[in-house]
Amino acid sequence: MDYYYTNLAVALGLAGAASIPVAQTYLFKPKYHPGPTPLPILGNLHQIPRETPWKTYKEWSKAYGPCIHLEVAGKHVLILNEYKDAEELFSKRGPSNSERPHLVMASDLVGFGRGLALLPYDQDAREARKLIHLTVGTKALSSYTPLIENETLRYLRGLRDTPEAFLDHLKYSAGGIILKIAYGYDVEPKNDPLVFLANDALDKFSRTTLLGEFPVDIFPSMRYIPSWVPGIQFKKLAEEWSQLATQLFDRPFNYVKDQLKQGIPNDSFSSRQLENITEWNDNVIGSRAEVIKATAVSLYAGASDTTVSAMRSFFLAMTIYPEFQVMAQKEIDSVIGANRLPTINDRRDMPFCDRLVKEVLRWGVVGPLGIPHVSKVDDEYNGYFIPKGTIIVGNIWGMLHDEKQYPDPDLFNPDRFLDSDQPDPSLYVFGFGRRACPGSHLAHTSIFLSIAQTLALFTIKRARDEKGNEIIPEAEFVTGTISHPKPFQCNIVPREEMRLHLID
Ligand code: HEM
C-alpha cells in the first residue's frame, strides 16, 4: 500500500498547522483508558498495522486491558475487545454512542456517505432502518422464502456445471436475491452488470472505511490538495471510485423509475415506496425519493458481499476440516433423506448444521471491526474519560477469538457450541445497539439454506498438487471493513449424480 505512506508523508507536512491544539491536549491530559504510548502529533497511527489490525488490538488488550485508548492525530479512539463493554457502551448507552465518524474519503470524495452505514444517527438513518426492517425483518422475510430458494437453486446448478467458479455463483445468488427485493430486478443469466457493480463498489467501501487507511480522514484539509501534486494518489482513486458510487446509487434506481414510468409491473421495495410519493427528485439530498434511493442502496450493498464472504469461509473450513462436512452430511441424510433438499423450516431439526453455521460466522468473521460508532457527549466509564467525538470500535474478531470464551479460538469446531458457556456468535457478528445490522435475518436464512443444500448435494474436497498430494489451504483472511478468505483451491464434486435431479 505505497499510496498510504506517500499520502501520509504529505499529511505530516500539513500536520504542523494542527499541532498547537494537539500539543495543548498533551499538557492537560485527562485520564483515558490505557493504551500504547502515542507520539506527538501522529499519536498511535504508526502502530496500527496495515494488515489484520484486529489481531494487534487483541494482543494489546493482554497488556492494557479490554478497553484500549488510542490517539490518531489528535482524535480519540477507543477499541473494545470484550462483549460486556460493547454491550454497555453501544447498547445501554446507545443514545450517546450511535453516531458514525465523518469519513472524508468514503463520504465526501467517493460518495458513499448517504448509505445508511455512514449516516449520522439522524432522522434519515432512523427512517432507513425502519424501512429496511419492514422489508427484510423477521416478519417480512418469510414472503421472500421462494425467492431465496430459487436463487439458491440457481447457485447449486452453477456449482454442478462449473464448480471451479463457485465464487461467481455465490455472488450471483446474493445479488439475485437482493436486486429482486430492493429493485424488482431479475439478474441476467450471465455477467449481469449490476451484480458485479455492487461487488466492485463494496470492495472500495471496504477499503475506504477502515480506520486510518486514508490520511485524508485524519487530516481533512488534505482534501484541498490538487490531484496533480505528486504523491496524492488518494485524489485519483477518489475520482475513479466516485463514478462507481454514482452508478451504484443511480443505475438500479433508474431501472425502477423507468419501469414505473412505462407502466411495467415492478414489485419491489423501491417501487412500493415510489408509488406513495409524487415527486421523484432523488437527486435532492434529504428528499423522500432520495432517502428511498439511499435505503435501497443500503439493502443492495449491505447484502451483496457479506453473505458471500461467510460462504467463502464455509468452503475454506470444509476444505481444511473435512470431518465436520461428513458429520453435517450424515445429519442431512438422516433428517431429510435423499429425495428432497433441506429447507429453512428444517433448521430446528438439524442441530449440527445449525452449529456449523454459527461456527462459520465465528471463525471467518465477516466484519472484524464492524463499523465504528462515535460518541456525541463526554462520558466516563470505569473511571476513565471518553470525550465527545471519540471513535468507538467494537473488535468483533477479538470477541469471537477470545480464548476465555472460545477455547482454541483459531480451530474450526462447530461442536464447541455443545458447551453452553460458549456464546452464540450472533451476539457480536452483526454489531451492536442502535446500529446493529438490519440484514441479519436475511443473512442467517440465506447462509443456512446455501450451506445445508450445498452439503446435501456436494462434497468439498482438497485439491491435489502435481505429485498427487492433498493441498491443505492456510486460513488467511484479507484486511478490510468486510473481510473474506484469501484465494484458495478446493474441488467441489457431486455426492451422488442421481441426487442432482433435485435441482433440475
Ligand atoms: C453475514 C452477513 C452479515 C454480517 C456479518 C453483517 C455485519 C454487520 C455489522 C457488523 C454491521 C455494523 C453494526 C454496528 O455498527 O454496530 C452491519 C451494518 C449494516 N448491515 Fe450488515 N451484515 C451482514 C449482512 C447484511 C445484509 C444481508 C444486509 C442487507 C440486507 C446488511 C445491511 C447492513 C446495513 C444497512 C448496515 C448499516 C446499519 C447502520 O449503520 O445503522 N448486512 N452489518
Side-chain angles (χ1 to χ4, degrees):
M1 296 210 184
D2 288 347
Y3 69 88
Y4 177 80
Y5 292 103
T6 35
N7 285 338
L8 185 60
V10 178
L12 287 178
L14 286 176
S19 61
I20 295 167
V22 174
Q24 281 169 352
T25 64
Y26 273 83
L27 287 177
F28 309 103
K29 209 171 171 183
K31 191 177 162 202
Y32 301 119
H33 283 87
T37 311
L39 289 178
I41 300 172
L42 202 56
N44 302 102
L45 186 58
H46 62 297
Q47 291 156 317
I48 300 178
R50 318 294 329 134
E51 292 296 320
T52 56
W54 43 87
K55 292 190 178 174
T56 306
Y57 299 150
K58 180 93 194 79
E59 270 313 298
W60 284 347
S61 71
K62 291 178 187 155
Y64 302 109
C67 304
I68 300 169
H69 176 261
L70 302 176
E71 273 182 34
V72 178
K75 284 199 174 110
H76 297 279
V77 180
L78 185 63
I79 312 278
L80 309 178
N81 287 287
E82 286 190 1
Y83 175 65
K84 65 174 179 5
D85 302 311
E87 172 64 7
E88 173 65 33
L89 292 178
F90 290 141
S91 300
K92 295 201 180 126
R93 303 190 196 185
S96 314
N97 296 326
S98 298
E99 298 299 321
R100 293 289 195 209
H102 183 80
L103 299 175
V104 177
M105 182 71 179
S107 290
D108 302 343
L109 300 182
V110 178
F112 290 131
R114 291 294 295 164
L116 170 59
L118 295 184
L119 281 183
Y121 195 59
D122 59 8
Q123 187 53 38
D124 288 351
R126 282 192 280 268
E127 179 63 13
R129 289 187 65 88
K130 192 175 95 193
L131 291 174
I132 294 181
H133 186 69
L134 289 173
T135 311
V136 292
T138 18
K139 268 197 198 151
L141 199 60
S142 55
S143 65
Y144 294 117
T145 306
L147 168 69
I148 298 171
E149 286 178 346
N150 273 339
E151 285 301 333
T152 311
L153 278 180
R154 182 209 299 264
Y155 146 79
L156 294 168
R157 283 187 211 115
L159 273 195
R160 175 195 61 194
D161 298 340
T162 48
E164 64 289 348
F166 74 94
L167 185 53
D168 283 346
H169 304 317
L170 288 170
K171 289 179 180 172
Y172 237 80
S173 144
I177 293 170
I178 203 62
L179 281 161
K180 188 75 183 167
I181 294 177
Y183 304 105
Y185 176 87
D186 291 308
V187 291
E188 295 183 12
K190 273 193 177 150
N191 301 327
D192 189 283
L194 292 188
V195 170
F196 292 102
L197 170 62
N199 281 285
D200 208 4
L202 256 285
D203 176 56
K204 311 315 177 227
F205 175 87
S206 187
R207 288 171 66 181
T208 52
T209 49
L210 199 65
L211 183 70
E213 184 68 10
F214 284 93
V216 66
D217 289 318
I218 297 153
F219 305 106
S221 50
M222 281 180 78
R223 65 183 293 175
Y224 300 111
I225 304 173
S227 52
W228 50 261
V229 172
I232 294 297
Q233 289 91 334
F234 78 90
K235 277 275 183 113
K236 293 191 190 72
L237 290 178
E239 275 165 23
E240 201 185 297
W241 295 353
S242 67
Q243 292 170 19
L244 212 57
T246 307
Q247 285 194 44
L248 185 79
F249 279 75
D250 288 340
R251 241 174 112 170
F253 200 67
N254 288 344
Y255 165 85
V256 184
K257 287 198 300 186
D258 286 348
Q259 287 219 315
L260 292 183
K261 278 181 202 153
Q262 291 173 46
I264 302 172
N266 178 309
D267 180 23
S268 66
F269 161 77
S270 300
S271 66
R272 283 191 295 275
Q273 294 300 323
L274 279 176
E275 276 163 358
N276 289 334
I277 56 172
T278 45
E279 265 195 279
W280 292 359
N281 49 350
D282 55 279
N283 287 323
V284 178
I285 302 282
S287 69
R288 181 71 191 166
E290 192 267 346
V291 171
I292 296 167
K293 176 165 86 172
T295 306
V297 166
S298 306
L299 281 165
Y300 172 37
S304 292
D305 225 16
T306 45
T307 48
V308 175
S309 158
M311 286 302 296
R312 286 168 91 163
S313 293
F314 157 74
F315 278 99
L316 177 61
M318 295 302 97
T319 310
I320 303 178
Y321 301 92
E323 62 275 25
F324 295 118
Q325 176 169 217
V326 175
M327 288 162 78
Q329 286 171 333
K330 269 195 190 145
E331 182 179 81
I332 293 168
D333 292 352
S334 72
V335 176
I336 309 296
N339 298 324
R340 69 175 182 92
L341 289 173
T343 67
I344 294 300
N345 296 333
D346 294 314
R347 185 169 184 168
R348 67 183 92 90
D349 300 321
M350 297 167 67
F352 183 80
C353 288
D354 190 50
R355 294 199 290 279
L356 183 69
V357 172
K358 285 183 184 159
E359 184 65 344
V360 165
L361 291 172
R362 187 199 70 81
W363 181 77
V365 190
V366 172
L369 295 174
I371 303 173
H373 294 215
V374 168
S375 66
K376 67 173 187 190
V377 289
D378 285 347
D379 197 2
E380 200 221 73
Y381 183 51
N382 289 343
Y384 296 101
F385 181 52
I386 305 176
K388 171 182 171 180
T390 297
I391 297 173
I392 311 182
V393 176
N395 184 0
I396 296 177
W397 185 91
M399 297 174 200
L400 293 166
H401 287 76
D402 178 356
E403 42 286 289
K404 293 194 293 294
Q405 298 262 38
Y406 302 105
D408 291 325
D410 292 334
L411 288 189
F412 183 91
N413 176 11
D415 278 342
R416 65 173 68 250
F417 298 110
L418 287 173
D419 168 4
S420 57
D421 285 344
Q422 300 201 36
D424 184 341
S426 302
L427 271 177
Y428 336 98
V429 270
F430 294 106
F432 311 97
R434 286 163 165 71
R435 300 309 293 251
C437 178
S440 60
H441 301 297
L442 174 59
H444 258 298
T445 304
S446 51
I447 293 170
F448 173 80
L449 200 66
S450 302
I451 287 182
Q453 296 199 348
T454 302
L455 292 179
L457 294 179
F458 300 94
T459 294
I460 298 133
K461 296 193 166 172
R462 291 178 184 159
R464 290 182 185 272
D465 63 18
E466 57 287 354
K467 288 189 189 136
N469 301 318
E470 284 187 340
I471 304 170
I472 306 179
E474 293 293 326
E476 289 179 331
F477 297 84
V478 301
T479 300
T481 297
I482 303 170
S483 179
H484 55 74
K486 291 186 177 174
F488 62 93
Q489 286 181 300
C490 64
N491 264 343
I492 302 163
V493 292
R495 290 179 61 195
E496 293 160 35
E497 288 291 338
M498 48 184 272
R499 284 195 193 198
L500 291 179
H501 77 273
L502 294 173
I503 55 175
D504 281 333

